[in-house]
Amino acid sequence: MPSRLRVALQAITLVGCFAVGAGAGGAVGAWTLVCRGNACPAVDVLEQYQPRQTSKLFAADGRFVAELGIERRTVVPLADLPRVLVDAFVITEDKRFFEHRGIDWVRVFGAGVVNVVRGGYAQGFSTITMQLARNVFPDRLTREKSLVRKLREVKVALAIERAYPKERILELYLNQIYLGNGAYGVETASQRYFGHPARDLSLAEAAVLAALPKAPERYNPRRYPERAVQRRNTVIELMRRAGAVPETEARRAGAYPLTLASAERSGDVASWFVEWVRRELDQHFGRELYERGLKVFTTLDVELQAAAARALEQQLRAIEAGTFGAYKHPTYEQVMARATGDEGQAESPYLQGAFVAIDPRTGAVRALVGGRDFDDSKFNRATQALRQPGSTFKPITYAAAIEAGRPTTLVLDDSPLRVPQVAGDTWAPLNYDLKFEGPVTMRRALTLSRNIPAVRLGMDVGEDRVIEMARRFGLTTPMPPYPSLHIGSAEVYPIEMIAAYTTFATLGVRSAPFAIVRVESADGDVLWEPAPTRETVLSPPQAWLMVSMLRDVVDRGTAVQAVRGGGFPHPAGGKTGTTNDGADVWFIGFTSDLVAGVWMGFDRPTKIKANAQGGVLAAPAWTAFMREAYQSRPAPPDWPRPTGLVAREVDKFTGQLRSPLCPPANVILDWFLPGTEPSQPCDRVVTPPADTARRRPRPAR
C-alpha cells in the first residue's frame, strides 16, 4: 500500500475512533481495551500532586547558584501568575481550553484533514490537558507515535477534565511544562531566561515562554535568538487576533529587542560545576536529592567561575578568528548557525576547552568549566575527558628525580635517542623544535620543556618510581611503564592533572579536589559533611626546588610571553603542555593560594593548527583569569624558602661551581638538598646556543 494512502487511512481511523469511542461512551473495542490492566494511570493522584521540586545549591559565600535535579522547577500558584502569561499559553497552545472537556474536536478533525492532504504527520491536536497527562505520567504515556498511545492519552485527559476544574489543570500544566535550557515550569524558565519572577513578565517575555512548548530546544532564546524572536512575534500576533492585547501594545512588544538575563542572574553561571555536584550527590542520596528539597553548600566562587568562563571563551574565539595563525576548522559560531535545535551530542565538532581553579590549601574547587556550550554538549571535559597531558606531566617526572637525590644542576644529554620498544621496535623521541642542545642542566631542560632530557631523566629514575609518584600526585588513570610516560603520553582526567599542582603551591601537600562543603535537610539538619583529603607528597625543601624550576618556566621559559608578557606580576609557577600531534594544548599554573589549569582541543583528537603550543594557545587564558582574580583579592605571598637547603653559585649551563672560567652572565645562585650540591669548579666556557630565543614559543600575534 502506498505510504501516502496508509497515512491517510490511519488519520481517518484515529478521528473515527475518537468520534465514536468518546461520543458513544466506550462502545468501540479499541476504546474499551486501550487502558486494560495498568496501561493508564489513575488521575486521582493529582488531588495532592505537586511537581518534583529540586534541591538548592549555594556558592561558598551563601549565594544561591542553581536548583539541583533532573527537572529544575519552582512551583507557583496560578493566582500569582500574570494574566498576560496565562493568555499567551492558552491562546498559543489550546485556544478553546476553557470550552472543551479535554479534547478539542475542531482541532482533531482539522488535523486529520491536514495530515490526509499532506500525506504524513504534519499537524497535531494535543490540548493543554493532553500535554499535562503525558508530562505528569511520562512512564505510562510515552511519546511513541501510535494509535494506542494516543487513545490512552485521550482517555487520561478526559478523566482529568472530569475530576478537576480548569484552573487546577492550568496551574499544574504551567508548573510542569518543559521550556528548554533545563527549565521546567514558567517560574524557573522566567528566572533562567530573564532573571526575575514570572509575576514580573512583560508581554514580550511571556510570548517568548509561550513560544517554547512547540520545540523547546529549537526556539531556545539563548542558543537561537533569531528563531526565538520570530516565534515570539507569532505568539504576539495570535494574542492580538484573539483580542487579548491591543494592536498598539502588540506592535510595541513585537519590536522589543530580546533581552536575556546575564548568566550570573539566570543561574547559568556554573552549569558543568552544578552537574558535577549533582552526579556526586545522586550517588550519595539517590531519589532524596530530587524529593527532599536539600540545601547543598559548595566551594564555588561565583566571580572566579564567571572569570574562568570568560577567559576560556575569549581565548577560544581568538584562536578560531586566526589571531594565532591560520585556523581551518569549523568555528563555534559556524556550527551553531547550522544547528537544527536538536539535543546536542557528547562530541562537538568545534574547538573545546576546560578550565579548573582550586584553592591549593584545601582542595576546594572555586571554578570549573567543562566546555563551551552546556546545552549543546553536557559532556564535562574537566572531569570526564581522558586526554594526554603532554609536558604538564614532566614536573612529576622531575619531582621523582628530586626525591631520588638528583640536583637541579644535573646535566642531561639532549641528543638523538632511540629507545627499544615491544616486538623489537624502537622509539625516537623528538624535541618540539626538532633540534638538540647537547648537555643541558635539569633546570634548563624543564624551563625550555626539552623532551629528550626528560625521557633520559625518567629512564634514569625508573618508570616504576615515576608511576608511584604520579599516584601520590593524585592521578588515578592507567600509567603504562614505557619511557614515553615521562613526557605525558598516559591519558589523565584534567581535574586530576590540575589538582596535582596543589602539591607545588603548598610546598609538598596535595589537596584532593572537592566541591561539596555540606548538605542540609530542608529544616537545616546537617546530613553530610565530607572531610577534605590532603596528603604529603614531597618534603618542603624538595617541593621548593620544584617550585623554583617551575617559576623559571613563567619567568624565562615556555610561558614567559603569555604570563609575564601578558601582565601578570605576582610570584607564580607553571608548566605548558603540547602533545606530539598538536591535538592537546595545556597550561597549569599556580600561586601560593590559587591553582588553575586550562586544556584545549577537539573532542575527537585532531591537530588544532600548525605550530600549536600550550604556551601560545592555552596560557593566555590562564593569565587573563589570574589577572581578573587578583583584582579583587590580596596579592599572593611568595613561597618562603625552607631551612636546610644549601646555596651555591653555579654556571647555569654546566651546573658546575663558579670559577674564573665562568662568564659572569652565566652565573646563577642555585639551591640544593644537603649532599647533592656540585663539587667541581667550572672548567670550560659555554656559549649559549644561538637559537635559544627561537626555541621559546612565539609571542601572541
Side-chain angles (χ1 to χ4, degrees):
M1 180 185 298
S3 60
R4 187 180 179 89
L5 179 59
R6 183 168 58 253
V7 171
L9 290 175
Q10 288 177 347
I12 293 170
T13 301
L14 187 59
V15 172
C17 282
F18 287 161
V20 177
V28 177
W31 182 256
T32 304
L33 298 176
V34 73
C35 285
R36 62 183 173 183
N38 254 346
C40 293
V43 301
D44 56 356
V45 299
L46 296 182
E47 189 67 44
Q48 302 298 324
Y49 176 76
Q50 283 290 323
R52 287 184 294 184
Q53 298 190 68
T54 54
S55 301
K56 302 293 188 290
L57 184 147
F58 301 91
D61 61 2
R63 275 186 284 180
F64 170 74
V65 173
E67 295 171 286
L68 280 176
I70 300 172
E71 297 181 3
R72 299 173 185 176
R73 174 188 288 109
T74 299
V75 176
V76 291
L78 183 64
D80 290 348
L81 297 176
R83 184 69 199 178
V84 68
L85 176 67
V86 175
D87 286 345
F89 272 87
V90 171
I91 291 169
T92 304
E93 290 297 305
D94 188 0
K95 64 183 179 181
R96 283 176 287 274
F97 171 72
F98 288 102
E99 302 166 15
H100 64 65
R101 299 303 300 168
I103 310 300
D104 185 348
W105 293 109
V106 175
R107 288 183 67 186
V108 169
F109 283 99
V113 171
V114 170
N115 292 337
V116 168
V117 170
R118 297 188 183 180
Y121 187 81
Q123 188 177 109
F125 50 84
S126 291
T127 62
I128 281 177
T129 315
M130 292 168 67
Q131 292 182 54
L132 175 64
R134 63 174 177 260
N135 284 324
V136 172
F137 306 111
D139 297 336
R140 303 282 192 85
L141 303 176
T142 64
R143 293 188 180 271
E144 66 173 313
K145 291 183 179 180
S146 71
L147 175 60
V148 171
R149 198 277 302 171
K150 201 67 178 178
L151 287 171
R152 286 174 182 161
E153 185 179 295
V154 168
K155 288 202 73 170
V156 174
L158 292 171
I160 290 174
E161 289 275 352
R162 287 194 297 269
Y164 302 102
K166 290 286 188 178
E167 289 73 15
R168 173 62 174 166
I169 295 170
L170 192 56
E171 179 178 274
L172 287 169
Y173 169 79
L174 292 174
N175 280 296
Q176 185 73 28
I177 190 72
Y178 178 62
L179 296 172
N181 206 39
Y184 289 80
V186 293
E187 178 66 18
T188 297
S190 179
Q191 293 282 3
R192 290 178 73 80
Y193 290 124
F194 305 114
H196 57 69
R199 65 173 179 268
D200 297 330
L201 287 167
S202 67
L203 168 59
E205 292 170 340
V208 168
L209 298 189
L212 289 167
K214 181 180 178 65
E217 301 305 336
R218 178 174 176 77
Y219 295 109
N220 183 332
R222 290 203 178 278
R223 295 182 63 195
Y224 310 110
E226 292 183 2
R227 292 181 195 167
V229 169
Q230 290 175 354
R231 176 71 179 155
R232 176 200 72 180
N233 290 350
T234 298
V235 171
I236 293 172
E237 175 60 17
L238 291 174
M239 296 176 71
R240 185 196 67 78
R241 292 178 185 176
V245 294
E247 183 172 347
T248 53
E249 188 176 344
R251 189 163 52 247
R252 186 165 54 249
Y256 197 78
L258 179 64
T259 306
L260 301 176
S262 65
E264 291 86 346
R265 289 182 59 207
S266 65
D268 285 334
V269 69
S271 299
W272 279 280
F273 180 92
V274 170
E275 178 61 12
W276 181 43
V277 169
R278 187 197 68 79
R279 285 173 176 266
E280 183 173 357
L281 289 170
D282 185 82
Q283 293 179 358
H284 194 85
F285 290 98
R287 291 180 60 88
E288 290 183 83
L289 176 64
Y290 313 114
E291 297 175 353
R292 290 184 57 184
L294 306 180
K295 292 183 287 186
V296 183
F297 298 89
T298 75
T299 61
L300 183 73
D301 184 307
V302 175
E303 280 73 31
L304 291 185
Q305 175 70 28
R310 271 193 301 273
L312 180 64
E313 182 61 22
Q314 287 172 2
Q315 183 65 10
L316 289 167
R317 287 179 182 264
I319 295 169
E320 291 177 334
T323 305
F324 303 92
Y327 182 82
K328 300 179 180 179
H329 302 286
T331 68
Y332 170 76
E333 293 291 345
Q334 290 168 341
V335 173
M336 288 296 102
R338 298 194 301 264
T340 62
D342 297 331
E343 188 67 23
Q345 303 299 313
E347 288 187 353
S348 59
Y350 47 84
L351 186 62
Q352 281 287 358
F355 198 114
V356 180
I358 302 172
D359 184 335
R361 299 162 295 190
T362 62
V365 175
R366 299 305 186 193
L368 186 147
V369 183
R372 299 182 70 175
D373 187 331
F374 187 75
D375 287 332
D376 185 51
S377 172
K378 293 176 174 56
F379 180 67
N380 192 329
R381 293 150 192 89
T383 63
Q384 295 176 293
L386 282 170
R387 307 296 299 212
Q388 289 184 329
S391 295
T392 59
F393 185 88
K394 287 178 184 174
I396 294 177
T397 299
Y398 279 71
I402 290 287
E403 187 184 59
R406 276 51 165 189
T408 62
T409 55
L410 177 70
V411 175
L412 302 169
D413 184 9
D414 185 7
S415 64
L417 173 67
R418 300 197 75 86
V419 181
Q421 296 286 83
V422 180
D425 295 335
T426 60
W427 171 58
L430 295 171
N431 293 314
Y432 181 81
D433 59 6
L434 304 180
K435 300 181 182 189
F436 307 99
E437 195 166 301
V440 59
T441 64
M442 213 166 86
R443 177 182 291 276
R444 181 173 172 81
L446 184 59
T447 299
L448 299 181
S449 200
R450 310 300 287 169
N451 286 338
I452 295 173
V455 173
R456 291 187 190 274
L457 180 64
M459 292 172 64
D460 174 47
V461 173
E463 280 74 41
D464 290 343
R465 187 161 193 161
V466 172
I467 292 170
E468 190 268 337
M469 181 63 73
R471 298 296 179 223
R472 286 158 56 189
F473 268 81
L475 304 184
T476 63
T477 50
M479 297 277 160
Y482 303 127
S484 59
L485 166 73
H486 308 308
I487 56 174
S489 63
E491 293 179 329
V492 298
Y493 293 112
I495 192 172
E496 290 185 353
M497 192 70 244
I498 294 164
Y501 279 57
T502 61
T503 304
F504 305 128
T506 59
L507 292 185
V509 180
R510 178 183 65 85
S511 299
F514 73 98
I516 300 170
V517 177
R518 70 181 184 280
V519 180
E520 296 180 358
S521 68
D523 297 327
D525 297 325
V526 177
L527 304 177
W528 187 35
E529 194 168 9
T533 301
R534 306 183 76 229
E535 178 184 352
T536 298
V537 178
L538 299 170
S539 70
Q542 292 167 348
W544 190 89
L545 290 176
M546 284 301 308
V547 169
S548 73
M549 288 194 287
L550 293 172
R551 291 182 69 167
D552 283 352
V553 173
V554 303
D555 289 339
R556 58 188 61 88
T558 55
V560 63
Q561 294 290 349
V563 177
R564 298 312 184 199
F568 186 69
H570 304 300
K575 187 68 191 75
T576 56
T578 310
T579 54
N580 284 339
D581 54 5
D584 302 86
V585 292
W586 297 72
F587 182 71
I588 306 175
F590 58 92
T591 63
S592 55
D593 60 15
L594 190 60
V595 172
V598 186
W599 165 85
M600 294 175 182
F602 289 93
D603 287 338
R604 184 170 296 176
T606 306
K607 187 180 185 68
I608 298 171
K609 61 179 291 294
N611 198 34
Q613 300 175 56
V616 176
L617 301 185
W622 182 91
T623 303
F625 167 79
M626 295 294 273
R627 287 180 61 186
E628 185 171 347
Y630 282 102
Q631 286 176 358
S632 57
R633 58 194 293 156
D638 203 344
W639 290 273
R641 187 175 64 253
T643 58
L645 289 170
V646 177
R648 293 289 186 271
E649 287 188 324
V650 298
D651 183 291
K652 64 182 178 181
F653 294 108
T654 67
Q656 296 174 323
L657 292 172
R658 178 177 186 172
S659 78
L661 288 178
C662 296
N666 289 5
V667 176
I668 61 170
L669 183 69
D670 212 337
W671 298 85
F672 304 87
L673 297 172
T676 68
E677 64 271 22
S679 58
Q680 296 297 317
C682 185
D683 57 9
R684 66 187 187 280
V685 176
V686 176
T687 302
D691 60 341
T692 295
R694 289 191 284 119
R695 287 195 178 96
R696 297 177 182 174
R698 298 175 179 84
R701 291 174 288 177

